Every structure is written in structure tokens, then in C-alpha cells.
Amino acid sequence: MSVMAATAVVSPQAEASESWYLALLGFAEHFRTSSPPKIRLCVHCLQAVFQFKPPQRIEARTHLQLGSVLYHHTKNSELARQHLEKAWFISQQIPQFEDVKFEAASLLSELYCQENSVDAAKPLLRKAIQISQQTPYWHCRLLFQLAQLHTLEKDLVSACDLLGVGAEYARVVGSEYTRALFLLSKGMLLLMERKLQDVHPLLTLCGQIVENWQGNPIQKESLRVFFLVLQVTHYLDAGQVKSVKPCLKQLQQCIQTISTLHDDEILPSNPADLFHWLPKEHMCVLVYLVTVMHSMQAGYLEKAQKYTDKALMQLEKLKMLDSSPILSSFQVILLEHIIMCRLVTGHKATALQEISQLCQLCQQSPRLFSNHAAQLHTLLGLYCISVNCMDNAEAQFTTALRLTTHQELWTFIVTNLASVYIREGNRHQELYGLLERINPDHNFPVSSHCLRAAAFYIRGLFSFFQGRYNEAKRFLRETLKMSNAEDLNRLTACSLVLLGHIFYVLGNHRESNNMVVPAMQLASKIPDMSVQLWSSALLRDLNKACGNNIDAHEAAQMHQNFSQQLLQDHIEACSLPEHNLITWTDGSPPVQFQAQNGPTTSLASLL
């Protein structure tokens, strides 16, 4: 907060005549804005105000300014807290002093949260909300702040209630724009809670409000972006990759429109409209991010990599100027997706280095690490599968299951853990227990189309390994039906090649060929290295069995090339010091990775 800006609302009668005050304020602002800032001198100037025994209004405002400077520019949080508490206490005794009063309450509760004194922040915000009803801007801002505090504590019910109160208040004071912001924020939390029956009518209402609102074009488009991001993530959570395309296209067009609009400096006439959801630059990164999520699920991995590179480049530029925590969250989610892409495309060494980068990024913030620890262990589990370290994969997935409460992630982990037990071949009791918990035919734990299709695939894989080929075909045809309906290319490719393998074992070479050829084409398009390896081996054996020696030789050559690429990448990954991360299952990740021989790994499952 600019120290001088605080004089804009100073009462002329009470304060403007105090030349000493304006002089000290001017010096304080000069020191604060120096390059580099001279914060100690700025604080001295503000403290000198108290030597003049100023009136209450100046005293309260100066305590607020000192608290703000100390909070934002120093590590002396105790002194900052003392000044903010005094500003809050004194300002409550002064009539028509809303800006200082509520700024102090807002900043003080923020400081309490930073000091893990959430129990002190809540009653403070509740009181400020109670006495701010005649001040629309502050009433809305404080409601948002308390809702955010409850959200960080994972008390989404209380947060939703507050956002509902805010939406009704905004309607009463004639701010449809801020009403939409409250409702969209509530919709976001309802999606997080998986209360889908409440989300649909809320999003329908939001859509009507957004379309009917006539105001600042950038504000209108930003509401549309918020609305469309919720719709897109709702579809992606449900694993509906094909159904989401029209919404995603609208979202991409919307962000292009916003990037051509100039920021309008004209302030809204209604003080309750003085809010922005996200800066334009943050919205651009967010749209890149949901595009990456879509490409990853659909199996367009080169497109996912292209948009990840664009988003990460944009993030690096933004982080030089902006320390907003949301940018680190965006970066973490992008890295999580690109790591999965690397593992599929056969770039394990790069994936491992990015997992290490992700660990370092998460360690910079306890909240970030807490929110993404389960995902980190899941990614390490997927890496362990790719280098055939099945014991480590099991340990990583078990750790991830212990850390997550997110149903979709839990189902994803269980599905992959089941694949580990299938490959190990001697864990039938544990495997049956897992398969019962993700039974796609009965009480499947989540509504995700994609995860349910994957559960059918896992059942088909297990039946195949047990030699129950007719049962395997039934499960795999179900996977194919579901994956074709929503363009889930990777599941389609995996199902086709496994069906091809079953028909080959049964001696039905023509039907096998009809499955393996499109599997190979799709795997090349994704590209999925493991399915390409598997398909080329089958094509080699099929052509050999049918006497097509030229085609058999060509397929053998392809198989050899894929084997060599995977082998080289496997050796490179296992020789990296970061490979030792696969043994980390507790607490924070190790800061340094000593290069040492990792566990013995076998390429038998790959070759």
C-alpha cells in the first residue's frame, strides 16, 4: 500500500493542516519507493509521527501504515502485529473511518494466518463482516477473505455458506458482477466437494447472469473465462474428453478476446464491483493449463508438451515480477502433467529430473507440499513401473494412498497398484481386494468415464494373464466402447493391442492383425512408446506366422529400434542420482541425491 495514497481519504479539517504530518509522510514514501527501498528510514519517519501526539485519526492511520510496511517489507511480524492491532482497536472508536478500520482487520487476519493463528483470524473477520454491511466493497472483500480461510482449512461447507451470503448481499446492493463472482467461487468449491447435483443448477444460473451482465468488457470476459474453466474442469474430472471440446474451444476464443482488450481505467460506479477474479496474464496460463489437461487425457501428448512449454515460459516471466502463490500451483500442476507425458513417450530420464524439480518446488511452501505430496508419490510410482522396480512402485502407491483424500486420485492410484500386482503375478489376494474396490460393473467409486474405462482395462489385463480369454475380451470391448465414445486414445490403443495379443494366442491371426495395425497407428500418433514396442513385437510374430517375411523383417527392425531407445533411456534414468528418490516414502523429499547404484532392474517386461 502506498503510504502517500493513504492521505487521499484524510479529512481536510482534521489532518491536511498538519504540515509536519504531511512532511513525515512524504519522507516515508520517498524512502519506501527508493531503489533499493530504505525501509528502516521509512519506519523511522512513520514512528516520528507519534512524537507529535497526533489526533486519533492520524494515530490509527499511522499504526496501519507501519503495520503494512513491516508486514510486507520485513520479517518483524511481531511488531507488525502490534501496530495492526492498535490500528484496528483505535479505528473502531472513530466514526466514518471504514477504510482504515477494515484494511487493518483484513491485513491483521492475514498476518494471524501466516503465524498459524487461524483461531484469532476467524473472530476478527467475523466481527469486521458484521460491522461492514454499510460498506459494500469491504463487506464483500471480507466475506471472500473468510471464505478463503475456511477453504484453506478444507472446511468447504462453511466457505460455501459464506459465498452464498456474499452472493445474496451483492444482489441486494445491485452488483450482478460480484454476485456472479461469489456464485462461481461457490461452484468451484462444490466441484471440489463433488456435489454435482448442486453444481448443475448453480452453473446454469451463473451462465445466465454472465450473459445478461452489461459492463466493463474485460470484467465480463473474465467472468466468462471463470465460468468456462469450471465447465471444462467439470467435464475433465468426469473423464469426458470428447464432450468437453465445444467448451474448451469457447474458452480458448474467450482468452484471445481478452488479450486484445485494453484495461479500462474507469472505476465502476458501484463500489461492490471493485473486484477482479485473476489478472489477464494468469488467466492465459490457466487456459494453457486446462488445454494441457485435456490433451493429456485425450492422448495428444505432443500437443500437451507444446502447450506446457508455452505455459512454463509465460510462468517464468510472470514469477520474475509476481510472487503470487497461484503461479507456483500452476507450475506444479503443469509439471505433474508433463511428467506423465514423458513416461508415456519413453523419456524416463527427463521425467525423473522433472520429478526432482517438482520436489524442490513443493518444498518452498508447506501448503504446496501438503496439497501435492500424494501426486508426487504417484508420479514416482509410475516412474518405478516404467523402470520395472515393482517393489518400489508398490511402496510409492501405498504411500500416496495414505496421503490422499481425493476420490479420483485414489481411484487412479488403486488402478495402477492393481497393474503392479498383476505384473508381479503372486499377489492374488491383495489384487482381488483392490479389484473389488474399483469394480466398474458395480458401485464404481467415482463418476469419471475415463477411470471407469481404465478399470475395465485392468480387469481385462488380469483375465488375460489368467488365461480367461473370453472374459478378457468382454472387459476389453467395454473399454473400447467407452474410450471410443470419448476419444480416449491411449486406452483405445492399449485395449486394441491386448485384444490383438489374445487373438494371436487363440490362433486367429486375421482378427489379431485387425487389432494390432490400428493399435500401432494410434500409438505412433500419441506417441506411446510401450504400446509401439508391444505392437511391433506382435506384428513381427504375426507376419512370421503368416509367412510374410518382408513385413516380419520390417516389424522386427521397428521392434529392435524401440527396444534400443527404451533400453538407452532406462540405463540413463537408473544411473541418475535422482533415481534414489524411488526409496523415499516418508516426510519431506531428500534435499540432495547421492549418486549410487539403484536397485537392480530388469528389462524383461519391456523386451
Side-chain angles (χ1 to χ4, degrees):
M1 178 182 72
S2 163
V3 175
M4 282 301 289
T7 64
V9 286
V10 173
S11 162
Q13 294 84 357
E15 296 171 10
S17 60
E18 308 285 6
S19 55
W20 56 266
Y21 173 63
L22 294 177
L24 285 171
L25 209 56
F27 279 125
E29 181 67 355
H30 166 74
F31 291 130
R32 191 187 72 85
T33 56
S34 297
S35 185
K38 297 172 181 174
I39 298 302
R40 191 169 58 85
L41 294 174
C42 172
V43 169
H44 282 326
C45 289
L46 290 171
Q47 285 173 330
V49 170
F50 300 124
Q51 304 299 318
F52 290 85
K53 302 284 188 287
Q56 268 197 323
R57 296 175 79 87
I58 291 180
E59 185 186 359
R61 189 181 297 283
T62 305
H63 279 303
L64 171 60
Q65 290 160 342
L66 273 164
S68 178
V69 168
L70 289 164
Y71 175 65
H72 289 114
H73 298 283
T74 75
K75 293 182 179 177
N76 196 340
S77 59
E78 188 178 342
L79 192 56
R81 176 165 38 81
Q82 289 171 14
H83 282 294
L84 291 171
E85 285 172 343
K86 285 176 183 173
W88 169 236
F89 177 73
I90 297 167
S91 63
Q92 288 179 78
Q93 303 164 35
I94 305 170
Q96 280 85 50
F97 209 40
E98 277 72 14
D99 273 9
V100 169
K101 189 190 308 178
F102 300 127
E103 177 79 37
S106 175
L107 208 52
L108 183 55
S109 65
E110 206 177 295
L111 189 149
Y112 283 152
C113 290
Q114 198 179 70
E115 293 180 333
N116 295 319
S117 304
V118 175
D119 290 339
K122 284 179 190 171
L124 170 62
L125 283 172
R126 285 194 198 104
K127 181 169 184 185
I129 287 166
Q130 186 185 343
I131 62 177
S132 65
Q133 292 190 37
Q134 302 307 312
T135 316
Y137 166 73
W138 277 109
H139 191 64
C140 292
R141 179 168 157 178
L142 293 163
L143 280 166
F144 274 126
Q145 191 170 347
L146 184 54
Q148 184 178 25
L149 198 160
H150 282 300
T151 303
L152 293 174
E153 284 202 304
K154 298 191 167 42
D155 180 5
L156 301 187
V157 174
S158 297
C160 280
D161 288 344
L162 283 163
L163 293 168
V165 169
E168 179 56 22
Y169 176 83
R171 187 191 66 78
V172 170
V173 298
S175 173
E176 285 297 284
Y177 168 76
T178 302
R179 181 188 177 203
L181 277 181
F182 274 115
L183 290 173
L184 287 165
S185 301
K186 185 177 178 180
M188 180 171 68
L189 298 189
L190 290 171
L191 280 173
M192 288 165 65
E193 281 193 286
R194 298 292 175 264
K195 291 190 173 175
L196 303 184
Q197 70 281 5
D198 298 329
V199 170
H200 295 300
L202 187 70
L203 285 182
T204 303
L205 174 61
C206 288
Q208 291 165 356
I209 295 171
V210 172
E211 289 311 311
N212 293 334
W213 186 70
Q214 301 301 317
N216 181 313
I218 285 188
Q219 284 185 308
K220 185 178 176 76
E221 290 303 311
S222 72
L223 284 179
R224 290 191 74 225
V225 170
F226 195 172
F227 172 68
L228 288 166
V229 163
L230 291 187
Q231 283 207 310
V232 169
T233 48
H234 180 34
Y235 275 119
L236 291 179
D237 272 353
Q240 295 174 323
V241 174
K242 187 176 182 180
S243 306
V244 77
K245 284 181 180 177
C247 277
L248 184 58
K249 193 173 180 183
Q250 277 185 63
L251 177 59
Q252 290 162 343
Q253 288 168 344
C254 198
I255 202 68
Q256 285 178 337
T257 303
I258 283 189
S259 60
T260 62
L261 293 171
H262 295 290
D263 288 317
D264 196 343
E265 295 299 328
I266 301 168
L267 291 176
S269 56
N270 189 335
D273 284 348
L274 284 165
F275 294 97
H276 283 291
W277 175 50
L278 281 177
K280 277 198 297 190
E281 298 78 11
H282 292 200
M283 282 191 265
C284 287
V285 175
L286 181 56
V287 174
Y288 280 141
L289 174 54
V290 294
T291 304
V292 167
M293 290 165 71
H294 174 261
S295 302
M296 178 72 214
Q297 273 201 39
Y300 306 127
L301 301 195
E302 287 178 345
K303 186 178 176 184
Q305 289 186 31
K306 183 181 86 174
Y307 278 103
T308 300
D309 291 342
K310 283 186 176 184
L312 289 174
M313 204 180 301
Q314 181 89 348
L315 275 171
E316 287 305 317
K317 289 178 189 171
L318 288 172
K319 287 182 87 173
M320 288 177 192
L321 308 166
D322 186 347
S323 58
S324 173
I326 199 169
L327 296 179
S328 294
S329 295
F330 287 165
Q331 192 174 358
V332 164
I333 297 167
L334 280 162
L335 281 170
E336 286 171 355
H337 281 80
I338 200 62
I339 288 162
M340 288 190 282
C341 283
R342 306 269 195 231
L343 291 172
V344 173
T345 57
H347 298 95
K348 296 184 280 288
T350 308
L352 183 58
Q353 288 165 328
E354 285 167 341
I355 291 173
S356 172
Q357 186 187 341
L358 195 53
C359 289
Q360 291 162 26
L361 195 59
C362 285
Q363 280 183 298
Q364 292 170 17
S365 156
R367 183 172 291 130
L368 208 55
F369 179 69
S370 166
N371 289 341
H372 292 270
Q375 288 91 321
L376 272 172
H377 286 289
T378 304
L379 291 168
L380 280 167
L382 295 173
Y383 167 76
C384 290
I385 290 177
S386 75
V387 291
N388 204 34
C389 297
M390 293 302 165
D391 288 345
N392 297 103
E394 181 185 350
Q396 291 298 335
F397 289 139
T398 305
T399 303
L401 286 173
R402 192 180 74 241
L403 293 171
T404 191
T405 55
H406 190 279
Q407 275 292 87
E408 273 76 9
L409 181 58
W410 181 90
T411 307
F412 179 79
I413 297 163
V414 168
T415 305
N416 281 285
L417 182 56
S419 80
V420 170
Y421 289 156
I422 290 169
R423 290 173 196 223
E424 287 184 317
N426 57 355
R427 307 292 296 276
H428 289 160
Q429 191 173 344
E430 295 99 322
L431 181 56
Y432 282 122
L434 285 184
L435 291 177
E436 197 46 50
R437 297 174 80 182
I438 53 164
N439 185 345
D441 285 319
H442 180 66
N443 289 338
F444 194 64
V446 292
S447 60
S448 171
H449 183 92
C450 181
L451 287 171
R452 188 161 169 261
F456 275 118
Y457 175 78
I458 286 294
R459 293 237 159 192
L461 187 67
F462 182 46
S463 299
F464 166 73
F465 274 103
Q466 290 202 310
R468 300 201 304 269
Y469 297 129
N470 285 333
E471 184 180 88
K473 282 191 283 185
R474 182 184 81 77
F475 287 129
L476 292 170
R477 283 179 177 136
E478 200 60 45
T479 305
L480 270 180
K481 186 171 77 178
M482 292 186 73
S483 54
N484 282 334
E486 285 292 344
D487 290 349
L488 305 171
N489 289 330
R490 281 201 66 224
L491 271 175
T492 301
C494 290
S495 303
L496 284 171
V497 73
L498 184 49
L499 276 168
H501 203 131
I502 291 167
F503 284 121
Y504 176 75
V505 171
L506 293 172
N508 190 339
H509 295 165
R510 177 181 290 180
E511 199 60 40
S512 177
N513 194 66
N514 289 343
M515 299 290 153
V516 178
V517 170
M520 185 61 159
Q521 290 167 345
L522 200 48
S524 305
K525 182 180 161 190
I526 291 170
D528 185 323
M529 202 64 148
S530 297
V531 175
Q532 284 177 296
L533 184 76
W534 191 357
S535 300
S536 58
L538 269 173
L539 283 172
R540 175 197 62 200
D541 297 345
L542 266 172
N543 283 304
K544 197 184 290 182
C546 296
N548 303 328
N549 293 331
I550 295 173
D551 290 340
H553 178 74
E554 189 182 318
Q557 192 59 53
M558 272 199 302
H559 184 260
Q560 178 66 18
N561 292 341
F562 292 135
S563 299
Q564 285 303 315
Q565 285 177 52
L566 281 167
L567 178 59
Q568 197 173 341
D569 183 51
H570 182 104
I571 292 166
E572 186 187 343
C574 292
S575 64
L576 288 170
E578 291 90 342
H579 182 74
N580 295 293
L581 269 173
I582 67 173
T583 60
W584 162 59
T585 54
D586 193 39
S588 298
V591 179
Q592 291 180 322
F593 312 103
Q594 301 300 321
Q596 52 186 254
N597 295 327
T600 307
T601 59
S602 159
L603 280 171
S605 68
L606 291 175
L607 306 178

